[in-house]
Amino acid sequence: ASQVVLMRKDNRTVMTMSNNYQGPPQDFAMVVPVPTVLQQNDVKTLPPDVFEHVDRLSAPRLVEYWEQDPCYVPPPIYPMAAPPMMAMERSGGSPKRAADLGVTIEARFAVGEYQILILSAKEATGLETWLKENKYRIPEGASTALAPYIASGMKFFVAKVDITKVRRDAHGAVVLS
């Protein structure tokens, strides 16, 4: 389960996410489209009580519904042949291989227990291949979902857990910030 809080003031938007993930922490990762290349000082981890406070403050009062244009026809997505697999470096893949797939690592940093990459991509199939080669578990055919974001110039916030930096509760369960 995930909770997402979006806050906007003037031209600044802040998005906060909380994931209730159950499973091996080394398997947890996120791929989130973002409009710009984020830097380390743009990314923070928060304690869980922040979401409890937001829940109390934001009890539903008004609901807005948005509907997609019923006449919209998505552009066709042409599959490309999968490039041959190559061994990847543990630290986020080789820059040469990323470039071969049309993927650029725009930024790389750590925040809390998360190893974060900001990626840009020229093609959705290249990004899907890069993510899979770098051991991100994404669904088959994810390029279909990624394509509209790439077409609109979005970047991708990619976070993976560094198991050596996780915190455990009194029962030994991993607690992610």
Side-chain angles (χ1 to χ4, degrees), residues 101-166:
L101 293 169
V103 175
T104 302
I105 300 170
E106 303 283 353
R108 178 191 317 247
F109 51 89
V111 175
E113 67 272 27
Y114 299 101
Q115 294 294 323
I116 297 169
L117 297 174
I118 307 299
L119 305 175
S120 61
K122 294 179 181 171
E123 294 180 352
T125 53
L127 179 58
E128 179 179 8
T129 300
W130 188 93
L131 289 167
K132 286 180 177 180
E133 287 180 359
N134 284 275
K135 307 212 180 341
Y136 290 91
R137 290 187 185 176
I138 61 172
E140 274 307 314
S143 59
T144 303
L146 297 169
Y149 296 107
I150 292 170
S152 65
M154 298 288 271
K155 311 297 182 214
F156 295 88
F157 171 93
V158 180
K160 194 185 271 190
V161 173
D162 179 348
I163 194 67
T164 64
K165 294 182 179 179
V166 296

Side-chain angles (χ1 to χ4, degrees), residues 34-98:
V34 293
T36 62
V37 174
L38 301 175
Q39 300 301 320
Q40 186 168 0
N41 61 348
D42 296 322
V43 180
K44 312 229 182 316
T45 59
L46 301 171
D49 64 338
V50 169
F51 282 87
E52 294 167 14
H53 186 70
V54 169
D55 279 344
R56 285 192 304 273
L57 289 174
S58 63
R61 293 177 188 92
L62 172 68
V63 177
E64 267 187 78
Y65 294 98
W66 295 90
E67 185 175 316
Q68 182 177 350
D69 179 355
C71 298
Y72 175 73
V73 178
I77 298 172
Y78 301 102
M80 75 178 224
M85 299 300 252
M86 294 176 66
M88 301 302 289
E89 294 176 12
R90 187 165 186 251
S91 64
S94 77
K96 181 179 183 326
R97 177 64 174 149

Side-chain angles (χ1 to χ4, degrees), residues 17-36:
M17 299 177 67
S18 173
N19 297 288
N20 184 6
Y21 170 76
Q22 295 178 355
Q26 62 273 17
D27 288 347
F28 179 81
M30 293 188 305
V31 178
V32 181
V34 293
T36 62

